[in-house]
Amino acid sequence: MDVKTAEFLKSSAHPKECPPADRPEYAFIGRSNVGKSSLINFLTNRKGLAKISSSPGKTQLINHFVIDEELQKTRDGSSWYLVDLPGFGYAKVSKTSRVKWQRTSEQFLTGRSNLMCVMMLIDSRHPPQQVDLDFMIWMAEKQLPFVMVFTKVDKLNRAERSEFLPRYELEMLKKWNCMPPVYVTSSEKREGREELLCFIQQTNSLYTA
Ligand code: GTP
Ligand code: MG
């Protein structure tokens, strides 16, 4: 599958303001600066679609992008929503606004009937972070389907590249019976796009209005 058209649709401060839940939807979440907006631009092949931050904490609203809108009324494909959510765990914003963003994201994720999967972005350079581990447990408790998407693998050397995933698995398997699906990406070096789009295409076919 490729992306034919991708357009910014709406920024919403609250889940109630979001576009109608009328097509399959994928939410991108992860710690601030993990590379959510970059991955969105990479997947859609549109450079400036989601704003890349030089300073973390840029995305503060629920941003909806509509993909292949013209397929919404046809049967030979699917239009879908891609959602850029505020990054969590960013220390330099006030605690009040951090808590507010987190609550907004959580309300959004638990309230969307069309949410097919959460893309849980994780920076491949860092050891497992408690805030990420906690968030995945929270999703499991809420029965939200998610996949792990490791970002920035271009920044790893050969040894690090072979080690980061087993290291993460070791940590996950202390709490989980098995690993969720894993995708490995680099927006910089354009890695992992086909695999993710293929997953989205397969998952779109499971959508029932
Ligand atoms: P917030 O909106 O602040 O939560 O950040 P974000 O998760 O959307 O991250 P963003 O895409 O804005 O990227 C943050 C920084 O990481 C930018 O400087 C990007 O250029 C860089 N970056 C993102 N993806 C990659 C990647 O795959 N490889 C490399 N080397 N850098 C990346
Ligand atoms: Mg962003």
Side-chain angles (χ1 to χ4, degrees), residues 178-189:
C178 59
M179 280 292 279
V182 166
Y183 292 89
V184 172
T185 67
S186 162
S187 303
E188 184 78 22
K189 291 279 187 297

Side-chain angles (χ1 to χ4, degrees), residues 36-37 51 53 58-59 84:
K36 293 177 295 296
S37 302
K51 289 195 185 69
S53 38
K58 183 96 183 164
T59 310
D84 192 6

